[in-house]
Amino acid sequence: METVISFTIPGMLPSLNQMLKQAQRSPYAYNKLKQDAEATVFLAIRRAGIRELAWPIRLEVDVYAPNRRTDCDNLQAGISKICLDALVSAGCLPDDSWRHWQMPEPFRYRFYVDGKNPRIEVKIFGKKGSEKGLTF
């Protein structure tokens, strides 16, 4: 039986281009950008009450961007990296290796524009009742 839990990240996360720009500037600038973004996702995960997840999991991500200025693939790359790292930091997954993702479609993205309320809505799909337990 598949189970779904979701959480919402307020605002937007850095795009791949923003992350690369900071990395070129300085490793410290990149690290600060990534840590701040990861902390935002971590708090959203905690607010949703998500704890240890049974794996493999898959994610559906609805991105409500403030406008269409950033390419979808740039947004997707930044969101993927930061969300995975935050799920590991929060103790939801042991690590972000391949074995913890359901293939062939570990992520599914949809993009919308919402200038008044930009956000990222993440749904986690997994199986409840396995030896790892999907808890929330």
Side-chain angles (χ1 to χ4, degrees):
M1 179 162 118
E2 191 167 62
T3 308
V4 182
I5 184 167
S6 62
F7 64 95
T8 300
I9 303 162
M12 295 303 297
L13 294 174
S15 69
L16 176 62
N17 284 346
Q18 291 170 320
M19 293 170 69
L20 291 173
K21 185 175 181 178
Q22 292 301 315
Q24 289 173 344
R25 228 180 97 210
S26 136
Y28 303 108
Y30 166 77
N31 193 40
K32 170 111 175 74
L33 177 74
K34 186 177 169 298
Q35 282 183 353
D36 290 349
E38 194 175 315
T40 299
V41 178
F42 183 95
L43 287 173
I45 291 167
R46 284 292 180 246
R47 280 191 201 112
I50 303 169
R51 299 287 182 233
E52 185 180 0
L53 297 169
W55 35 269
I57 63 169
R58 65 184 173 84
L59 301 178
E60 283 187 6
V61 182
D62 291 338
V63 179
Y64 295 85
N67 53 51
R68 294 177 188 250
R69 289 188 197 138
T70 306
D71 293 339
C72 294
D73 60 334
N74 268 318
L75 292 172
Q76 182 178 337
I79 292 167
S80 296
K81 174 68 176 154
I82 293 165
C83 280
L84 289 175
D85 289 350
L87 284 167
V88 172
S89 306
C92 299
L93 294 173
D95 59 54
D96 56 0
S97 66
W98 290 17
R99 69 189 278 197
H100 301 114
W101 300 99
Q102 184 173 335
M103 297 299 169
E105 189 182 34
F107 281 96
R108 183 171 147 210
Y109 281 86
R110 290 180 294 227
F111 296 89
Y112 308 95
V113 174
D114 186 344
K116 294 182 181 179
N117 184 22
R119 66 197 179 279
I120 301 163
E121 296 177 357
V122 180
K123 291 180 186 168
I124 302 171
F125 293 82
K127 294 193 177 172
K128 195 168 189 169
S130 78
E131 69 281 353
K132 299 284 184 230
L134 181 63
T135 58
F136 32 89

